[in-house]
Amino acid sequence: MKLSTWGFLLALLSSFNLQAQTAVAPAIDGIELTGDYEIKGQVQDADGLPVPFANVALYTTPDGKLVKVETTDDAGLFKMEGIADGIYDLVVTYLGAPDLRKEGIEAQNGVLDLGVLQMAPAAVELAEATVTATRALVEVKPDRTVFNVQGTINAVGQNGLDLLRKAPGVTIDNNENINVLSRSGVLVYVNGKRLPLAGEELANYLRSLTAEQIDRIDIITNPGAKYEAEGNAGIIDIRLAKAENEGANGTANLTSTQGRYNRSNASVAGNYRNAKMNVYSRVGTVRSENFNRINFDMIQNGLNLVETMFGRNNARDYFGQFGTDFFLSKNSTVGFLASGSMQDVSGYGTDDFLISTVGGPVDSILLAGSSGNGERNRAEFNLNYRYDPGKGKSLNVDLDYGTFRNTEMRRQPNIYVSPDRETVLTEVINTFDTPRDIDIYTFKVDYEQPIGKGQFGAGIKLSQVGTNNTFLFFDEIGNEEIRSDVRSNIFDYDENVYAAYLSYAGKINDKISYSAGLRTEITDATGALTAFREDLQEDPVEINYESLFPSAGITYTLDQRKGNTIALNYGRRINRPDYNVLNPFRNQISQLSYERGNPNLRPEIVDNLEIGYTLAWRYNFKLAYSKTSDQITRLIGPDDIDPRAGFIGWDNLAEKTVISFNASLPFTVTKSWDAFVNFSASHINNQADYGEDGTIDLQAFSYSIFQQQTFKLPGKFTFEVSGYFAGPGIWGGVFEYDESWALNLGLQKKFLKDQLNVKLSANDIFFQSGWTGVSDFNGQFSRGGGNWDSRNVALSLSYAFGNQKVKSRKRKTGLEDEAGRVN
């Protein structure tokens, strides 16, 4: 640890309060906000319904300089504080509705309540949209893209992993790794907290989340200094639904999904809120049954292996959440949240290999099915304190603890039979006991206040992650299991990260604003391998380094009144190897298929540069460039011991560059027909030289189109058509995949004064969302493909009871996310 860096940062943190006493109020577009006046009101549509997420802008009269911008809440309410006395014009804009203007507003006498501001009905024109009290499917904000799960009927019956496949700019590869803008290494958060899972465990957790639990998904491709530097592709933050209504209220939900197998879930959520506290909870259960199918045709070492794999998995999950916020004063809130789940899993599968020489008849067949069961239990706790006196000042303190306990028992026979499958040639049966325990502790402090003519921020974060991985390999002989000390091991991975950051954001003039930040992170990690034989013992993997991660952005407003802006952002990020990819021991999938880690992996560093353009507040375009050094990637190749076998391993690519483009385009075709189109394209260039083990020189152009059409039908029915088409591209280092597509249908109807919501959806109705592709690396050529239970029909019933009216609240709760919005 370099004490000079920490000494400087801690001294600076301790001086914040002294600096605040001499700071002046910030200037926006050259206007000193030294006043204490307040302007508030409510925005309603032509039918008297509240309009959430409308933009409310305040301009000076008569020069038209922008003073302040706010967004209405769920009840259409807005509040502008710190306004100097004077004469202003107020403009309300909302997607597709004519602008509402109120001129000659005089700020004086403390509080100016404008009352109800009613917007005119939208005309039936291509460039306009009907104003409703529902959120758009996708919102593009200055620092993130928001995928509103509740904005699509076709989310019904989907789990968290399914929904990520639909999110703009997000793709899931054949190994269920998550990519954003064709970049790997994304960091997954839940409710603003990092999820310390990776690989198969992360995919299983995401499957346990239902669409009814998820409110929205935030996709942050270029996070600022306030966020962790981990995650080359940025951050995906899954925000779970949480009621914020006054009084007592709740929601009950029941969903059944029928594909090849049935999946169902049921949950009840409720909350009680008054002026002193807010209590909320959710309990539920998920029962799922699904399958996956994979086929590969491989050529290596003069042999041809044709693999056919089928797996069927069952899971029963019980989850719960309880939280409370105590409003100690007008400015102080203490929050506590506890959540957890218990999941029982079981499954079985077949994995057949047809073995022959290239061009010759089948010599033998390996039947390598498996069966297993296990438990996945988690518990997470958060204690939060927030002090928010207003005028840009805030202090937020978080204490977090999370524990994950996973067990798995697996039986895996390897039976070699004759080509006619009648004669058993050899038989080897192995069993595995692989428990895994993860504990994570986090302490975080964030502080913000105005300094000079901008907003200053600083904070520290300390995290400790401890992982205990036990891999016990047994040979089953007769009815006895004999542990193989050659194949068994214990791998403990402990990671400590110490971080601090500084940030500042302000304006140069009424058109140009900027932000800048610097984050430093010190990583101290140890991977300790304990072998069961002394001659197999290896030295611990030591990872110790300090890195600086700068970020900067500048925004130029081309036209304030029309909402045309252009923004340029830069950020440097890191992706550290974790316990899944460092363990060097061989994990046997079958006798002809292995996984193994690489203890010599280096962290990958990426530089991201993005330029974005927003037209008329609603149409968003982004061009991005990223260059990654030492990209950690998954490689497929022949085994160096058995010429018939293959392995899945990990290594560092020398370099990976990605140039990508994304367009987010909402339209209103008619008053009852809304449309959304998201288009992404990227060029990927992978380069690596492993000497005798092979080289990688791959380039690919990839693209995808996602669309959703929503129609308001007579009888208050809503009909939805959505789907995507994805072109070819590259997964990992060497797998070149082909195009895929899916089409989904949805129907919604509300009853009982909108308290009962009934949704019916049909997903991937042509069953085309599977994958196919080829890999050619290190003497192994393979072509394959796969699919899963993506074609299904789902029915959801959701009933809301109690008080459903939302009231305006100034204070922020303990679950406020890092962008300053209440979850």
Side-chain angles (χ1 to χ4, degrees):
M1 181 184 299
K2 297 183 179 180
L3 296 179
S4 57
T5 301
W6 280 94
F8 166 73
L9 290 170
L10 292 175
L12 189 57
L13 285 170
S14 66
S15 67
F16 288 164
N17 190 48
L18 292 176
Q19 295 179 29
Q21 294 174 8
T22 59
V24 297
I28 300 181
D29 293 351
I31 303 166
E32 297 289 339
L33 298 182
T34 56
D36 292 322
Y37 299 116
E38 177 183 299
I39 298 177
K40 64 180 183 179
Q42 183 187 41
V43 180
Q44 296 183 358
D45 65 12
D47 297 322
L49 295 174
V51 180
F53 313 110
N55 293 308
V56 183
L58 192 69
Y59 300 91
T60 58
T61 305
D63 55 4
K65 289 185 177 180
L66 180 64
V67 176
K68 198 171 184 64
V69 176
E70 292 289 351
T71 303
T72 59
D73 64 13
D74 289 344
L77 297 163
F78 69 91
K79 183 186 296 185
M80 295 179 171
E81 299 177 305
I83 305 301
D85 54 349
I87 307 298
Y88 300 97
D89 295 339
L90 185 137
V91 180
V92 181
T93 58
Y94 187 77
L95 178 60
D99 292 353
L100 185 155
R101 300 182 61 85
K102 192 171 183 64
E103 300 178 347
I105 296 173
E106 186 175 359
Q108 60 180 4
N109 300 326
V111 178
L112 176 60
D113 189 348
L114 299 177
V116 174
L117 302 176
Q118 194 163 44
M119 304 190 77
V124 183
E125 296 179 6
L126 179 64
E128 295 180 342
T130 304
V131 177
T132 65
T134 59
R135 288 178 289 175
L137 174 66
V138 174
E139 299 173 82
V140 180
K141 298 181 180 294
D143 66 331
R144 68 190 62 203
T145 298
V146 180
F147 177 48
N148 288 308
V149 172
Q150 303 306 319
T152 172
I153 303 170
N154 287 321
V156 173
Q158 304 290 288
N159 58 47
L161 197 64
D162 295 331
L163 292 170
L164 283 179
R165 297 180 193 275
K166 297 182 177 184
V170 179
T171 58
I172 311 292
D173 70 16
N174 59 325
N175 292 304
E176 296 179 333
N177 298 307
I178 303 170
N179 302 278
V180 176
L181 296 179
S182 298
R183 305 198 303 253
S184 60
V186 67
L187 202 63
V188 177
Y189 282 48
V190 175
N191 280 344
K193 315 297 181 185
R194 179 184 173 183
L195 193 64
L197 300 176
E200 182 181 359
E201 290 180 328
L202 174 60
N204 288 330
Y205 173 81
L206 293 173
R207 286 194 189 93
S208 73
L209 295 177
T210 66
E212 290 71 31
Q213 290 177 260
I214 300 173
D215 176 62
R216 68 179 193 269
I217 299 173
D218 291 357
I219 304 161
I220 310 169
T221 59
N222 209 351
K226 189 173 183 178
Y227 292 91
E228 290 185 59
E230 179 83 6
N232 284 358
I235 292 170
I236 290 178
D237 191 1
I238 300 173
R239 311 300 299 192
L240 302 181
K242 173 189 170 186
E244 288 285 339
N245 299 358
E246 297 284 356
N249 58 86
T251 304
N253 179 270
L254 177 64
T255 300
S256 179
T257 304
Q258 186 63 51
R260 181 167 182 170
Y261 305 110
N262 182 265
R263 302 193 299 270
S264 60
N265 65 79
S267 64
V268 177
N271 86 295
Y272 175 78
R273 186 184 186 103
N274 58 28
K276 296 294 185 181
M277 64 182 300
N278 180 42
V279 180
Y280 54 94
S281 65
R282 177 186 292 269
V283 294
T285 182
V286 180
R287 187 192 66 82
S288 64
E289 189 171 5
N290 56 72
F291 78 92
N292 63 81
R293 187 188 303 276
I294 298 175
N295 302 288
F296 267 107
D297 190 341
M298 296 166 286
I299 296 176
Q300 62 185 50
N301 300 319
L303 300 174
N304 187 194
L305 297 98
V306 178
E307 180 184 14
T308 303
M309 182 186 300
F310 176 83
R312 179 176 176 179
N313 301 294
N314 298 274
R316 170 78 73 173
D317 184 59
Y318 303 92
F319 62 87
Q321 178 190 66
F322 174 80
T324 182
D325 297 307
F326 296 98
F327 309 129
L328 305 180
S329 67
K330 180 182 178 181
N331 303 322
S332 298
T333 303
V334 171
F336 172 76
L337 174 66
S339 62
S341 66
M342 297 183 296
Q343 186 179 59
D344 295 321
V345 296
S346 62
Y348 70 88
T350 60
D351 192 2
D352 297 357
F353 287 83
L354 278 63
I355 307 169
S356 65
T357 59
V358 175
V362 174
D363 175 69
S364 60
I365 300 174
L366 171 62
L367 306 178
S370 65
S371 60
N373 59 79
E375 296 180 354
R376 302 187 181 105
N377 301 321
R378 67 176 180 88
E380 297 168 282
F381 306 91
N382 169 259
L383 181 63
N384 171 273
Y385 172 75
R386 182 173 183 86
Y387 177 68
D388 186 4
K391 297 184 179 180
K393 295 182 182 180
S394 67
L395 173 68
N396 196 82
V397 182
D398 275 295
L399 287 171
D400 290 278
Y401 170 68
T403 177
F404 300 80
R405 299 289 183 262
N406 299 334
T407 63
E408 182 180 6
M409 299 289 295
R410 183 164 60 94
R411 186 175 187 269
Q412 198 265 299
N414 295 273
I415 305 172
Y416 290 90
V417 299
S418 59
D420 60 5
R421 298 178 185 254
E422 296 293 330
T423 305
V424 175
L425 304 177
T426 61
E427 180 177 3
V428 177
I429 300 176
N430 301 120
T431 59
F432 307 86
D433 183 3
T434 56
R436 177 173 293 166
D437 297 337
I438 304 173
D439 291 285
I440 179 169
Y441 304 84
T442 303
F443 171 71
K444 184 164 70 78
V445 179
D446 296 293
Y447 180 81
E448 291 185 352
Q449 71 169 59
I451 291 182
K453 296 184 178 181
Q455 187 76 3
F456 175 78
I460 60 173
K461 182 174 183 178
L462 312 176
S463 68
Q464 180 185 66
V465 179
T467 307
N468 178 268
N469 309 272
T470 301
F471 183 80
L472 301 179
F473 183 101
F474 298 90
D475 294 308
E476 185 178 298
I477 300 175
N479 294 322
E480 185 178 0
E481 294 181 352
I482 301 174
R483 189 181 73 194
S484 170
D485 289 348
V486 175
R487 305 291 297 276
S488 301
N489 79 98
I490 298 174
F491 188 72
D492 295 332
Y493 183 71
D494 295 310
E495 180 185 85
N496 300 294
V497 178
Y498 314 95
Y501 73 89
L502 306 172
S503 65
Y504 191 80
K507 286 184 178 257
I508 297 175
N509 53 40
D510 60 348
K511 288 184 175 292
I512 302 175
S513 60
Y514 64 90
S515 63
L518 180 65
R519 187 180 185 92
T520 181
E521 291 193 352
I522 299 172
T523 303
D524 180 10
T526 302
L529 176 70
T530 302
F532 287 86
R533 275 182 31 177
E534 186 176 348
D535 60 312
L536 298 176
Q537 185 67 44
E538 297 188 13
D539 294 332
V541 178
E542 299 286 351
I543 303 175
N544 297 283
Y545 50 86
E546 179 181 359
S547 300
L548 294 174
F549 301 96
S551 60
I554 187 168
T555 301
Y556 181 74
T557 302
L558 302 173
D559 191 319
Q560 293 177 340
R561 294 179 181 270
K562 293 184 179 180
N564 301 338
T565 61
I566 188 168
L568 180 67
N569 290 282
Y570 164 78
R572 188 171 188 261
R573 302 189 64 76
I574 189 173
N575 197 35
R576 305 175 184 89
D578 61 26
Y579 60 89
N580 282 291
V581 301
L582 290 173
N583 191 344
F585 265 54
R586 296 155 63 98
N587 177 25
Q588 178 176 299
I589 302 171
S590 73
Q591 277 200 335
L592 297 183
S593 182
Y594 298 88
E595 290 180 333
R596 66 186 182 195
N598 181 356
N600 298 314
L601 284 175
R602 301 178 298 276
E604 57 186 28
I605 301 292
V606 65
D607 292 282
N608 294 323
L609 184 66
E610 299 178 354
I611 184 168
Y613 175 63
T614 299
L615 175 65
W617 302 104
R618 69 194 74 173
Y619 308 112
N620 293 273
F621 308 87
K622 180 180 290 185
L623 181 65
Y625 170 83
S626 75
K627 183 176 182 179
T628 304
S629 301
D630 292 328
Q631 169 85 29
I632 298 173
T633 192
R634 196 179 185 105
L635 297 177
I636 305 172
D639 185 59
D640 52 8
I641 299 176
D642 187 342
R644 302 169 302 170
F647 76 89
I648 300 172
W650 298 88
D651 215 322
N652 292 102
L653 286 175
E655 184 177 282
K656 177 175 183 176
T657 57
V658 179
I659 300 174
S660 61
F661 172 79
N662 183 263
S664 177
L665 309 170
F667 300 100
T668 293
V669 184
T670 69
K671 188 175 181 179
S672 57
W673 177 6
D674 292 324
F676 173 78
V677 178
N678 184 272
F679 173 77
S680 297
S682 61
H683 181 270
I684 304 170
N685 184 1
N686 285 349
Q687 297 289 326
D689 186 352
Y690 302 109
E692 294 182 358
D693 291 334
T695 61
I696 297 176
D697 183 10
L698 281 180
Q699 298 81 36
F701 174 76
S702 181
Y703 61 92
S704 65
I705 301 173
F706 175 85
Q707 63 80 32
Q708 177 171 301
Q709 314 287 326
T710 304
F711 304 89
K712 296 178 180 177
L713 305 179
K716 293 187 177 181
F717 281 92
T718 302
F719 177 64
E720 185 177 281
V721 181
S722 68
Y724 75 90
F725 183 89
I730 301 174
W731 285 331
V734 295
F735 192 83
E736 300 176 80
Y737 64 84
D738 303 320
E739 67 274 358
S740 63
W741 59 278
L743 183 67
N744 314 306
L745 303 176
L747 186 67
Q748 175 179 271
K749 168 71 173 177
K750 293 185 177 182
F751 302 89
L752 303 177
K753 298 181 179 180
D754 292 344
Q755 286 183 278
L756 177 62
N757 192 359
V758 180
K759 298 179 181 179
L760 178 66
S761 70
N763 294 287
D764 194 13
I765 58 178
F766 294 103
F767 202 39
Q768 295 295 316
S769 64
W771 56 271
T772 58
V774 299
S775 171
D776 188 1
F777 175 69
N778 194 18
Q780 182 194 72
F781 176 84
S782 61
R783 178 182 294 277
N787 52 55
W788 59 95
D789 207 3
S790 59
R791 179 169 55 184
N792 55 68
V793 176
L795 175 65
S796 173
L797 305 176
S798 180
Y799 182 76
F801 51 89
N803 178 36
Q804 298 299 311
K805 184 178 180 181
V806 182
K807 293 186 179 180
S808 175
R809 295 177 297 275
K810 176 183 176 181
R811 60 172 58 94
K812 300 174 183 177
T813 69
L815 281 185
E816 182 183 44
D817 65 23
E818 296 193 57
R821 293 188 303 271
V822 175
N823 175 45

